[in-house]
Short mmCIF file of all heavy atoms in Angstrom, two decimals:
data_model
loop_
_atom_site.label_atom_id
_atom_site.label_comp_id
_atom_site.label_asym_id
_atom_site.label_seq_id
_atom_site.Cartn_x
_atom_site.Cartn_y
_atom_site.Cartn_z
N ILE A 13 21.59 1.23 32.61
CA ILE A 13 20.27 0.76 32.22
C ILE A 13 20.54 -0.20 31.06
O ILE A 13 21.20 0.14 30.09
CB ILE A 13 19.38 1.89 31.92
CG1 ILE A 13 19.11 2.78 33.03
CG2 ILE A 13 17.93 1.15 31.44
CD1 ILE A 13 18.32 3.94 32.64
N LYS A 14 20.02 -1.57 31.06
CA LYS A 14 20.14 -2.39 30.12
C LYS A 14 18.67 -2.69 29.44
O LYS A 14 17.74 -3.02 30.07
CB LYS A 14 20.66 -3.81 30.58
CG LYS A 14 21.22 -4.68 29.40
CD LYS A 14 21.94 -5.70 30.09
CE LYS A 14 22.38 -6.64 28.83
NZ LYS A 14 22.60 -8.02 29.22
N TYR A 15 18.58 -2.17 28.14
CA TYR A 15 17.32 -2.51 27.50
C TYR A 15 17.27 -3.75 26.86
O TYR A 15 18.38 -4.12 26.13
CB TYR A 15 17.12 -1.20 26.51
CG TYR A 15 16.92 0.13 27.11
CD1 TYR A 15 17.87 1.01 27.04
CD2 TYR A 15 15.66 0.38 27.77
CE1 TYR A 15 17.59 2.33 27.62
CE2 TYR A 15 15.49 1.54 28.23
CZ TYR A 15 16.47 2.57 28.17
OH TYR A 15 16.20 3.80 28.86
N LEU A 16 16.22 -4.47 26.93
CA LEU A 16 16.12 -5.64 26.11
C LEU A 16 15.55 -5.19 24.81
O LEU A 16 14.41 -4.64 24.70
CB LEU A 16 15.17 -6.67 26.84
CG LEU A 16 15.75 -7.41 27.99
CD1 LEU A 16 14.59 -8.27 28.57
CD2 LEU A 16 16.88 -8.32 27.49
N THR A 17 16.18 -5.59 23.63
CA THR A 17 15.67 -5.29 22.43
C THR A 17 14.84 -6.51 21.81
O THR A 17 14.93 -7.58 22.35
CB THR A 17 16.81 -4.98 21.30
OG1 THR A 17 17.56 -6.02 21.26
CG2 THR A 17 17.57 -3.67 21.89
N MET A 18 14.21 -6.25 20.70
CA MET A 18 13.34 -7.35 20.24
C MET A 18 13.27 -7.44 18.70
O MET A 18 13.66 -6.34 18.09
CB MET A 18 11.98 -7.31 20.77
CG MET A 18 11.21 -6.08 20.39
SD MET A 18 9.58 -5.93 21.15
CE MET A 18 8.65 -7.11 20.31
N ASP A 19 12.85 -8.52 18.16
CA ASP A 19 12.63 -8.56 16.60
C ASP A 19 11.13 -8.32 16.35
O ASP A 19 10.34 -8.76 17.12
CB ASP A 19 13.16 -9.78 16.17
CG ASP A 19 14.58 -10.14 16.22
OD1 ASP A 19 15.39 -9.28 16.59
OD2 ASP A 19 14.93 -11.37 16.28
N ILE A 20 10.90 -7.76 15.18
CA ILE A 20 9.51 -7.74 14.77
C ILE A 20 9.52 -8.19 13.20
O ILE A 20 10.07 -7.47 12.36
CB ILE A 20 8.78 -6.43 14.78
CG1 ILE A 20 8.80 -5.77 16.25
CG2 ILE A 20 7.37 -6.41 14.16
CD1 ILE A 20 8.17 -4.33 16.30
N THR A 21 9.07 -9.46 13.10
CA THR A 21 9.29 -10.02 11.82
C THR A 21 8.27 -9.63 10.86
O THR A 21 7.25 -9.16 11.13
CB THR A 21 9.50 -11.58 11.91
OG1 THR A 21 8.33 -12.09 12.66
CG2 THR A 21 10.58 -12.03 12.74
N TRP A 22 8.55 -10.11 9.50
CA TRP A 22 7.59 -9.68 8.56
C TRP A 22 6.13 -10.24 8.78
O TRP A 22 5.99 -11.41 9.21
CB TRP A 22 8.07 -10.34 7.03
CG TRP A 22 7.31 -9.88 6.00
CD1 TRP A 22 7.45 -8.62 5.27
CD2 TRP A 22 6.19 -10.55 5.42
NE1 TRP A 22 6.51 -8.62 4.27
CE2 TRP A 22 5.69 -9.68 4.38
CE3 TRP A 22 5.54 -11.63 5.71
CZ2 TRP A 22 4.66 -10.01 3.61
CZ3 TRP A 22 4.35 -12.10 4.83
CH2 TRP A 22 4.02 -11.25 3.82
N GLY A 23 5.22 -9.55 8.56
CA GLY A 23 3.80 -9.91 8.75
C GLY A 23 3.37 -9.99 10.22
O GLY A 23 2.16 -10.44 10.55
N ASP A 24 4.24 -9.64 11.12
CA ASP A 24 3.81 -9.62 12.62
C ASP A 24 2.67 -8.72 12.76
O ASP A 24 2.64 -7.57 12.22
CB ASP A 24 5.03 -9.03 13.38
CG ASP A 24 4.86 -9.33 14.85
OD1 ASP A 24 3.79 -8.84 15.45
OD2 ASP A 24 5.74 -9.89 15.59
N GLU A 25 1.65 -9.12 13.67
CA GLU A 25 0.45 -8.39 13.79
C GLU A 25 0.68 -7.01 14.53
O GLU A 25 -0.07 -6.06 14.21
CB GLU A 25 -0.50 -9.23 14.88
CG GLU A 25 -1.87 -8.81 14.75
CD GLU A 25 -2.71 -9.43 15.78
OE1 GLU A 25 -2.07 -9.81 16.88
OE2 GLU A 25 -3.95 -9.47 15.68
N LYS A 26 1.87 -6.93 15.09
CA LYS A 26 2.21 -5.61 15.78
C LYS A 26 2.37 -4.45 14.67
O LYS A 26 2.35 -3.31 15.16
CB LYS A 26 3.42 -5.76 16.55
CG LYS A 26 3.33 -6.56 17.87
CD LYS A 26 4.52 -6.53 18.80
CE LYS A 26 5.41 -7.48 18.59
NZ LYS A 26 4.89 -8.90 18.51
N THR A 27 2.66 -4.87 13.46
CA THR A 27 2.69 -3.77 12.43
C THR A 27 1.48 -3.45 11.78
O THR A 27 1.36 -2.83 10.74
CB THR A 27 3.87 -4.18 11.39
OG1 THR A 27 3.34 -5.33 10.73
CG2 THR A 27 5.11 -4.52 11.96
N MET A 28 0.29 -4.09 12.16
CA MET A 28 -0.95 -3.93 11.44
C MET A 28 -1.46 -2.52 11.25
O MET A 28 -2.29 -2.27 10.33
CB MET A 28 -1.87 -4.95 11.96
CG MET A 28 -2.63 -4.46 13.24
SD MET A 28 -3.99 -5.67 13.80
CE MET A 28 -5.12 -5.42 12.41
N HIS A 29 -1.11 -1.59 12.09
CA HIS A 29 -1.54 -0.31 11.92
C HIS A 29 -0.70 0.60 11.21
O HIS A 29 -0.84 1.88 11.03
CB HIS A 29 -1.91 0.36 13.37
CG HIS A 29 -3.11 -0.35 13.94
ND1 HIS A 29 -4.28 -0.56 13.18
CD2 HIS A 29 -3.28 -0.72 15.24
CE1 HIS A 29 -5.13 -1.12 13.95
NE2 HIS A 29 -4.71 -1.30 15.24
N PHE A 30 0.43 0.07 10.63
CA PHE A 30 1.34 0.91 9.87
C PHE A 30 0.59 1.04 8.41
O PHE A 30 0.07 0.13 8.00
CB PHE A 30 2.67 0.17 9.58
CG PHE A 30 3.74 0.13 10.71
CD1 PHE A 30 3.24 0.14 11.99
CD2 PHE A 30 5.03 0.31 10.52
CE1 PHE A 30 4.15 0.18 13.10
CE2 PHE A 30 5.91 0.38 11.59
CZ PHE A 30 5.46 0.31 12.93
N ARG A 31 0.76 2.28 7.90
CA ARG A 31 0.34 2.50 6.51
C ARG A 31 1.40 3.24 5.71
O ARG A 31 2.04 4.19 6.25
CB ARG A 31 -0.91 3.54 6.56
CG ARG A 31 -2.20 2.86 7.22
CD ARG A 31 -2.72 1.78 6.43
NE ARG A 31 -3.92 1.20 7.16
CZ ARG A 31 -3.84 0.05 7.82
NH1 ARG A 31 -2.71 -0.52 8.18
NH2 ARG A 31 -4.93 -0.49 8.38
N THR A 32 1.67 2.75 4.56
CA THR A 32 2.82 3.27 3.70
C THR A 32 2.20 3.49 2.38
O THR A 32 1.24 2.92 1.89
CB THR A 32 4.06 2.32 3.67
OG1 THR A 32 3.56 1.09 3.04
CG2 THR A 32 4.37 1.95 4.98
N ASN A 33 3.04 4.17 1.54
CA ASN A 33 2.92 4.23 0.01
C ASN A 33 3.70 2.83 -0.38
O ASN A 33 4.40 2.32 0.32
CB ASN A 33 3.68 5.38 -0.63
CG ASN A 33 2.97 6.66 -0.23
OD1 ASN A 33 3.49 7.57 0.39
ND2 ASN A 33 1.65 6.77 -0.74
N ILE A 34 3.49 2.57 -1.52
CA ILE A 34 4.31 1.63 -2.32
C ILE A 34 5.36 2.37 -3.29
O ILE A 34 4.82 3.00 -4.30
CB ILE A 34 3.60 0.66 -3.05
CG1 ILE A 34 2.84 -0.29 -2.07
CG2 ILE A 34 4.48 -0.29 -3.96
CD1 ILE A 34 3.62 -1.26 -1.23
N GLY A 35 6.67 2.25 -2.99
CA GLY A 35 7.57 2.80 -4.03
C GLY A 35 7.91 1.68 -4.97
O GLY A 35 8.29 0.64 -4.58
N LEU A 36 7.60 1.96 -6.24
CA LEU A 36 8.06 1.00 -7.25
C LEU A 36 9.47 1.45 -7.73
O LEU A 36 9.68 2.50 -8.32
CB LEU A 36 7.11 1.06 -8.36
CG LEU A 36 5.62 0.55 -7.99
CD1 LEU A 36 4.68 0.93 -9.14
CD2 LEU A 36 5.56 -0.93 -7.77
N ILE A 37 10.51 0.71 -7.23
CA ILE A 37 11.88 1.27 -7.47
C ILE A 37 12.39 0.54 -8.89
O ILE A 37 12.50 -0.62 -8.93
CB ILE A 37 12.78 0.72 -6.23
CG1 ILE A 37 12.17 1.15 -4.92
CG2 ILE A 37 14.21 1.23 -6.49
CD1 ILE A 37 11.92 2.54 -4.70
N THR A 38 12.76 1.44 -9.68
CA THR A 38 13.15 1.04 -11.02
C THR A 38 14.73 1.15 -11.03
O THR A 38 15.27 2.22 -10.78
CB THR A 38 12.47 1.74 -12.20
OG1 THR A 38 12.36 3.14 -11.89
CG2 THR A 38 11.16 1.19 -12.40
N THR A 39 15.42 0.09 -11.57
CA THR A 39 16.81 0.18 -11.72
C THR A 39 17.34 -0.45 -12.96
O THR A 39 16.56 -1.24 -13.69
CB THR A 39 17.39 -0.64 -10.49
OG1 THR A 39 16.90 -2.07 -10.54
CG2 THR A 39 17.25 0.08 -9.15
#
Side-chain angles (χ1 to χ4, degrees):
I13 299 176
K14 198 171 175 201
Y15 290 107
L16 279 180
T17 60
M18 62 186 288
D19 297 342
I20 301 179
T21 51
W22 188 85
D24 190 308
E25 202 193 17
K26 288 189 269 305
T27 64
M28 73 178 292
H29 290 316
F30 284 35
R31 295 291 177 268
T32 65
N33 291 118
I34 291 294
L36 299 165
I37 310 303
T38 44
T39 55

